[in-house]
Amino acid sequence: QVQLVESGGGLVHAGGSLRLSCAASGSILSINNMAWYRQGPGKQRELVASITSGGITNSADSVKDRFTISRDNAKKTIYLQMGSLKPEDTDVYYCKADGVVRDVDGTYKWDPQHYWGQGTQVTVSS
């Protein structure tokens, strides 16, 4: 199985910065796509930014020029550098992994399951 553990959330004043990390563990050979999502109370979970194993990124319009996603394939870790934070960025941020190739009974196989982390709270005060 695959575990995703997020860290780096917290409380920050508007205009401040935070850096989130998400580390994947398990008998993983590679992960094709990793992403950050966020969700607030009563809201649908929305994509914040994604990154492929080759470094191709995609970001929501609401965070372009403020948030940067990056990745360390060797560490199986992604990061979200968040700047110029606004109160509306307050949410629980989740990490997601897709296209995992992992060891299944001694053989590396592609795993069709989507994996999610447990989430990390980001709170931006005005």
Side-chain angles (χ1 to χ4, degrees):
Q1 288 297 318
V2 173
Q3 294 81 39
L4 301 175
V5 178
E6 301 102 333
S7 60
L11 174 63
V12 65
H13 290 298
S17 301
L18 279 175
R19 188 191 195 211
L20 306 183
S21 299
C22 170
S25 63
S27 301
I28 300 168
L29 178 64
S30 63
I31 304 173
N32 183 35
N33 195 64
M34 298 186 75
W36 289 99
Y37 284 73
R38 64 186 182 185
Q39 185 173 24
K43 298 189 322 184
Q44 284 193 327
R45 192 170 294 189
E46 63 175 8
L47 175 68
V48 176
S50 64
I51 185 167
T52 68
S53 57
I56 298 172
T57 63
N58 180 46
S59 299
D61 289 341
S62 59
V63 306
K64 280 186 191 299
D65 302 322
R66 298 190 299 123
F67 293 6
T68 300
I69 188 170
S70 60
R71 178 170 178 160
D72 185 330
N73 287 328
K75 294 182 178 179
K76 298 182 180 64
T77 298
I78 62 169
Y79 307 94
L80 186 68
Q81 181 66 49
M82 304 186 293
S84 301
L85 282 161
K86 305 175 181 180
E88 51 263 43
D89 294 318
T90 295
D91 270 328
V92 179
Y93 285 70
Y94 297 90
C95 175
K96 183 184 180 188
D98 293 297
V100 175
V101 177
R102 63 181 183 90
D103 187 329
V104 179
D105 299 327
T107 302
Y108 281 112
K109 295 182 180 180
W110 180 74
D111 184 347
Q113 185 173 345
H114 305 300
Y115 289 96
W116 291 92
Q118 81 289 350
T120 185
Q121 176 70 48
V122 171
T123 303
V124 184
S125 63
S126 57

